[in-house]
Amino acid sequence: MDTAITRAEHEEFRRMVDANFDALTVEDKRLNERLKVVEETNRQISDMNITLQKQRDILQSCRKTYRQLQRHRTRKTSA
């Protein structure tokens, strides 16, 4: 366990570590790009959700107004 390694073994190990580090750096960049896409998609979905909620509120208001008009017309024709 305490035996010294040769210079060639050290260089081979260093190259292997460097290659693994480079591969991890590339993977890290790739994942960061994917994360940016996911975050943008999430923002767009959130914006759409807000828009849909506003549209729902508008439609509910229109439906309420329509029902009130129907009741008013019904009373008017009954009288």
Side-chain angles (χ1 to χ4, degrees):
M1 199 72 174
D2 291 329
T3 58
I5 61 170
T6 66
R7 183 70 171 165
E9 290 171 324
H10 171 72
E11 288 299 319
E12 181 183 343
F13 176 76
R14 186 185 60 77
R15 280 192 298 274
M16 183 184 70
V17 168
D18 287 347
N20 285 335
F21 179 77
D22 291 343
L24 289 174
T25 300
V26 168
E27 180 67 7
D28 188 45
K29 287 179 183 178
R30 186 183 72 78
L31 289 175
N32 282 338
E33 288 302 315
R34 289 185 68 191
L35 184 58
K36 286 178 187 178
V37 170
V38 168
E39 288 172 341
E40 176 61 19
T41 302
N42 187 42
R43 187 195 62 74
Q44 290 173 354
I45 290 171
S46 179
D47 290 348
M48 287 174 55
N49 187 34
I50 291 169
T51 300
L52 288 172
Q53 288 174 350
K54 288 178 181 179
Q55 288 178 346
R56 180 202 62 204
D57 293 344
I58 290 169
L59 286 173
Q60 286 176 341
S61 176
C62 288
R63 185 173 49 197
K64 181 179 176 184
T65 302
Y66 179 74
R67 286 181 180 161
Q68 288 173 346
L69 286 172
Q70 281 183 319
R71 278 188 237 130
H72 179 70
R73 285 181 185 163
T74 305
R75 286 188 212 142
K76 214 175 185 181
T77 57
S78 298

